[in-house]
Amino acid sequence: MVVLEPTVLEEVPVTSYSDHPTLSMRTGTWKYLQPRYEDKLPPCAHACPAGNDISKILALLACGDLKGAGKWLRAGNPLAATLGRVCPHSCQQSCNRDSLGGALAIHRLERFLGDQSLQYSPQLQPPTGQKVAVIGAGPAGITSAYLLAQAGHEVHIFDDKPKPGGFLRTGIPAFRLPKEILDQEIALVESVGVQFHQNIRVGRDLTFEDLKSRFAVVIVAAGLHASRPLKISDNGQAHVYHGIDVLERMQTQESLSIPGVVAVLGGGNTAIDVARSLLRAGSTPVIVYRRTEAEMPAIPSEIEEAKAEGVAFHFLAAPSRIVVEGGKIVALECQRMRLGEPDASGRRAPVPLPAPEFRLPVSAVVAAIGETADLEFLPEDLRNHGGFATQSVLDGDFRGVFVAGDVATNSGTVAAAVGSGRQVAATVDRYLRGEQPLTENPVLPSLWPRALNHAQVADAQLLNPAYFLPEVSCPLPEPSQASSTEWAVNEARRCLGCGTCNGCLNCYHWCPDVAIQVSSASAALKIDLEHCKGCGICVEECPRGAMAMAEVG
Amino acid sequence: MKTVLKGNGAVAKAVQMARTQVICAYPITPQTSIVEELAEMVASGHLDSRFIKVESEHSSMAGCIGAASTGARTFTATSSQGLALMHEMLHWAAGARLPIVMVNVNRGLGPGWSLWADQSDSLAQRDTGWMQVYCQSCQEVFDTVIQAFEVSQRVLLPSMVMLDGFFLSHTYEDMDLPEPSLIDSFLHPICLPHKIDLQKPATLGSMVSPDRYMEFRKKIDLAHQQALDVWTAVDVEWNALTGRSYGLLEEYRMQGAELVLVATATPASTARAVVDGLRDQGIPAGLLRLRVFRPFPAAALRHALRNRKKVVVLDRSCSYGHHGAFHQEIKSALYELPAAEQPDVKGIIAGIGGRDITAEDLEEMLLLAWQDKLSEAVTWWKTLPETINR
């Protein structure tokens, strides 16, 4: 276009005015910082020991795509319906919605989606011809087997119990986890080709060396199944039941009756499960714990439910002697304690009070003071190997041996066992394909509540009244929390999608340089770096923390 | 129609009758009731206008600039600190040649906090390119707001109309409101050559290199010179419709006056009685009220003051380290007269921060001047005596 230069003042426009667009001014050259879109790990997923991609699952659910959401949940997690019942849901505790109408009911949504997707049929990779043995059919073993079988490997699980499930079957009472649910999830694992060999105890029916010679990989996922011994005077030890044995016998239909007042020693999940199971069998359980409720390692909601059901608690009491008369337990003598300085676990340690012992009249004692691994079946060299309990690739004679679950992590939750199974499966798959192990998970920085721009959360964002309905209390049969699809979709819609761009266009509306490019409603947003001055308003105003600033170049 | 309104009410009524399309304002004492009344008119449907609420005066002027750029009739009002906060945007409004009308209710600036009448706020904005008019009565306030809309849209300069805080903003007077049809026929539609047109995308206010910037600035100055005639013309047209006019300057008993008080705003109305009293005593006193300060009516001032003996200029502000703004500008204008025709000019700074300027004060000032007893070029009127020079 020809621009005519004015020759007299009258021809000069009244103010600076140009029919050229400002695009010719490359304001982008001014910046030394520039924004970018960068999805981050939301706090829920960061807190999830099982490694669920929670925000993507919820995003699919929010769109009404139940099938897609279930598929994405099941892609790495065969035990979703189980976890939807027994997981302590740390995801929910870290939800950024906590102060904005309440945390999302992620736990209940997982159960809903887990139940919806029990018939899920995963896509299988072509067979690789590689064989994998897994010792232990607990959550870690099942998870790693499920994923490796989908990846095309031939997977065999060896387990010494009549039915697979490990602690899920023997340790978790049916009122928390119905066995039909577990059976259906195991059927799902079988459907991808995993072969279960039950009643086979490694070290008795076959040797570890056998397995090692027949399989390219052996995964040790044996769990913690040995009870810790009670450290009190020997008198009466013979009469003491062990927590996991009590649970197993009550789960596997073997009738076990312990009438009267039963002292359950310990503060973990086993102690709670034992007490609640005994209550259902007609006993009067009393939990005896040397610290207070705050130090109990059990899942807080389970403690609450046990209290609601009528389980009695004696805190700050350490058993010192079991009183036996006429071959029968008549009482438990306890030392009164107080809380002292924190110990290595960070919890305040119990310290005996200079007070006389007191007597609790009981007719039986169950010790549930923790479990350890029984690894006698493994070669001593392996157990002593420096990298043994690390989920990593071992060297030397033990190349091809991997350790998963509680034996490696000692974390004691199903979710952590699933997460460990997932991690080991990924390492094993790379190992079998001759690829180097990943040095680190390519995890983006987590998004913490304070990093989220709460001010930008639309007030109109759906707040689901169903969320505020009182939690259904836990009756003796499995709690009935039937979730309708409508409820689930509405609840999922409350998800802010922390750390994930969902095209809300807040950046576009705030950008003073009109440097956010929107091509279509569904296409990813782009930044016009030729005109972006690098002011950072878009990053500051992003309601989901899905943008980041970095120095140019 | 006869009615009784306070100064702020007269402003709101004028803005309503001018069919203002966009009001973008932030409340501040003593301007608040203007904004409140306008907001109520908009909310109740008595004024078909877009009322934009903002978080600061800087934003209110920015909003006015945006609205006025579309050719909308745009209004805002402020005071004191609020006007100071607008400063950057005031330059922009004038540079962008937008016919925005603003009322500033004169008030002192902190510290110490003052809510009362003081012209420091508007005089600090003297060089922003805005026209400035200082009003004396509620009727004049109404008439001037209407006139300002018309002058601004003819010369494409923004107007600032001043009321003394409380003395005028909150004082009720009887006044005459014209019929709405009279205002409709008086005000012409806004014709903005550079108005935003979605069909013809353009860049407004873009960067201008040194080889053209000066021309834009010179055009602002030329528009101000032209505006002197336009203010007069519009005042004449208004007079034809309403029988009221004010001029750039207002003369009172100036015939044969040898002692002249130059005042602005409400003290000028007090001064009328004082001048009458002095005349009764045989002293040839007169009053010259400066109404339009920007553009500056230098020629009219020279014409009105040449060959007078004594001139006292009253300032309700001070350009610290020098004189009051009116005093220095009037003196500089008179310097172009031949030496023999130049009056003796003295400045008095009074009424700062809302201190009352009484008839007795004014009479005393004029008598001191007449008796050659104002020894200093500038006198701070009746402040505490100096003790020690700290």
Side-chain angles (χ1 to χ4, degrees), chain B residues 83-153:
Chain B
L83 185 65
L85 184 55
M86 269 183 200
H87 179 73
E88 182 195 9
M89 291 287 105
L90 295 180
H91 284 279
W92 195 279
R97 304 298 299 278
L98 298 171
I100 300 165
V101 172
M102 166 162 62
V103 161
N104 178 67
V105 182
N106 282 119
R107 165 187 156 179
L109 287 137
W113 279 114
S114 169
L115 305 175
W116 300 277
D118 188 304
Q119 292 168 331
S120 307
D121 54 356
S122 53
L123 289 169
Q125 309 301 344
R126 183 188 64 176
D127 300 336
T128 54
W130 282 61
M131 299 188 285
Q132 291 200 353
V133 188
Y134 291 81
C135 296
Q136 173 187 248
S137 69
C138 293
Q139 183 71 63
E140 187 187 345
V141 165
F142 176 90
D143 295 348
T144 304
V145 169
I146 300 286
Q147 289 183 356
F149 277 119
E150 183 60 23
V151 176
S152 277
Q153 67 200 37

Side-chain angles (χ1 to χ4, degrees), chain B residues 117-353:
Chain B
D118 188 304
Q119 292 168 331
S120 307
D121 54 356
S122 53
L123 289 169
Q125 309 301 344
R126 183 188 64 176
D127 300 336
T128 54
W130 282 61
M131 299 188 285
Q132 291 200 353
V133 188
Y134 291 81
C135 296
Q136 173 187 248
S137 69
C138 293
Q139 183 71 63
E140 187 187 345
V141 165
F142 176 90
D143 295 348
T144 304
V145 169
I146 300 286
Q147 289 183 356
F149 277 119
E150 183 60 23
V151 176
S152 277
Q153 67 200 37
R154 287 198 200 173
V155 298
L156 299 181
L157 288 173
S159 289
M160 202 185 289
V161 178
M162 258 61 69
L163 288 70
D164 282 339
F166 299 106
F167 292 123
L168 192 52
S169 66
H170 287 64
T171 299
Y172 285 82
E173 287 176 3
D174 64 315
M175 50 182 288
D176 185 49
L177 283 186
E179 289 302 312
S181 58
L182 184 148
I183 308 286
D184 290 343
S185 64
F186 175 75
L187 287 179
H188 291 84
I190 294 176
C191 176
L192 196 64
H194 52 301
K195 130 183 181 171
I196 291 175
D197 181 355
L198 294 181
Q199 305 309 315
K200 284 189 344 197
T203 302
L204 290 176
S206 52
M207 189 173 288
V208 180
S209 58
D211 62 2
R212 198 50 88 235
Y213 183 86
M214 253 179 100
E215 277 71 19
F216 287 119
R217 295 287 135 173
K218 184 177 179 185
K219 286 202 133 185
I220 298 174
D221 191 47
L222 288 175
H224 265 272
Q225 291 174 33
Q226 179 202 351
L228 282 173
D229 293 338
V230 175
W231 271 106
T232 305
V234 164
D235 197 44
V236 167
E237 289 167 27
W238 185 251
N239 189 27
L241 289 173
T242 66
R244 292 186 298 270
S245 73
Y246 305 92
L248 302 169
L249 302 167
E250 193 190 6
E251 298 191 3
Y252 182 74
R253 299 192 81 162
M254 286 289 280
Q255 185 132 32
E258 291 173 32
L259 169 64
V260 177
L261 175 69
V262 182
T264 58
T266 53
S269 89
T270 314
R272 279 173 168 67
V274 175
V275 166
D276 290 344
L278 290 172
R279 286 273 183 165
D280 290 347
Q281 296 169 38
I283 299 170
L287 168 71
L288 185 67
R289 179 169 74 90
L290 179 60
R291 175 172 178 253
V292 176
F293 175 59
R294 278 292 178 276
F296 191 63
L301 276 160
R302 272 194 295 277
H303 179 75
L305 295 176
R306 63 194 285 253
N307 290 323
R308 312 286 177 181
K309 280 204 174 94
K310 303 278 182 190
V311 171
V312 176
V313 182
L314 191 61
D315 271 289
R316 201 166 212 151
S317 75
C318 178
S319 172
Y320 303 105
H322 194 38
H323 305 351
F326 297 134
H327 178 205
Q328 56 182 278
E329 296 218 1
I330 287 166
K331 249 192 351 189
S332 115
L334 297 180
Y335 191 73
E336 290 183 29
L337 289 171
E341 297 179 11
Q342 287 177 15
D344 173 32
V345 183
K346 291 281 191 282
I348 291 188
I349 289 171
I352 299 291

Side-chain angles (χ1 to χ4, degrees), chain A residues 279-485:
Chain A
L279 192 73
R280 283 161 175 75
S283 315
T284 307
V286 179
I287 287 182
V288 178
Y289 183 50
R290 19 183 225 152
R291 311 191 209 212
T292 70
E293 186 177 335
E295 289 80 31
M296 285 178 82
I299 301 169
S301 61
E302 303 284 332
I303 300 173
E304 286 308 316
E305 284 172 17
K307 286 203 282 193
E309 288 168 15
V311 174
F313 287 80
H314 263 290
F315 292 115
L316 294 168
S320 50
R321 194 168 75 93
I322 293 165
V323 186
V324 179
E325 283 171 13
K328 279 183 164 176
I329 294 179
V330 293
L332 179 69
E333 267 188 15
C334 297
Q335 174 69 49
R336 288 206 191 278
M337 313 294 276
R338 66 173 175 83
L339 288 180
E341 294 301 307
D343 62 13
S345 73
R347 297 172 302 161
R348 294 182 66 186
V351 181
L353 279 172
E357 290 165 341
F358 70 98
R359 221 173 231 224
L360 214 55
V362 297
S363 53
V365 174
V366 180
I369 55 168
E371 295 82 33
T372 57
D374 177 6
L375 301 171
E376 288 300 316
F377 67 91
L378 294 177
E380 208 176 331
D381 305 359
L382 174 57
R383 281 182 277 146
N384 293 336
H385 191 285
F388 176 62
T390 57
Q391 306 183 113
S392 57
V393 183
L394 304 183
D395 55 8
D397 290 347
F398 299 110
R399 251 188 101 68
V401 177
F402 295 82
V403 184
D406 274 354
V407 176
T409 65
N410 197 25
S411 41
T413 63
V414 182
V418 167
S420 172
R422 258 174 121 148
Q423 196 175 330
V424 168
T427 311
V428 167
D429 187 45
R430 293 187 71 87
Y431 170 81
L432 288 174
R433 293 178 194 279
E435 295 164 14
Q436 285 298 309
L438 294 173
T439 45
E440 236 175 55
N441 282 347
V443 172
L444 287 166
S446 181
L447 184 73
W448 297 103
R450 254 163 295 186
L452 198 70
N453 185 351
H454 285 183
Q456 288 300 332
V457 174
D459 293 336
Q461 202 141 14
L462 191 66
L463 289 178
N464 180 13
Y467 186 80
F468 299 100
L469 293 177
E471 283 285 321
V472 181
S473 66
C474 185
L476 295 187
E478 192 204 3
S480 154
Q481 297 177 330
S483 302
S484 70
T485 302

Side-chain angles (χ1 to χ4, degrees), chain A residues 73-90:
Chain A
L73 173 61
R74 288 281 177 196
N77 182 355
L79 295 169
T82 296
L83 282 170
R85 289 170 169 82
V86 304
C87 184
H89 48 277
S90 42

Side-chain angles (χ1 to χ4, degrees), chain A residues 161-163 166 169-172 174 179 244-256:
Chain A
K161 293 291 187 319
K163 282 179 151 185
R169 192 173 295 280
T170 64
I172 298 183
K179 297 311 166 212
I244 52 172
D245 298 337
V246 170
L247 286 174
E248 184 171 353
R249 285 165 69 185
M250 292 183 102
Q251 298 313 306
T252 50
Q253 310 301 323
E254 190 185 317
S255 61
L256 175 71

Side-chain angles (χ1 to χ4, degrees), chain A residues 187-215:
Chain A
L188 172 65
V189 176
E190 279 182 311
S191 77
V192 300
V194 174
Q195 298 177 45
F196 287 92
H197 304 279
Q198 297 303 132
N199 288 317
I200 304 287
R201 179 190 283 265
V202 179
R204 180 188 72 192
D205 303 316
L206 49 80
T207 65
F208 180 77
E209 284 71 19
D210 281 347
L211 285 181
K212 209 172 161 314
S213 62
R214 285 164 48 202
F215 292 89

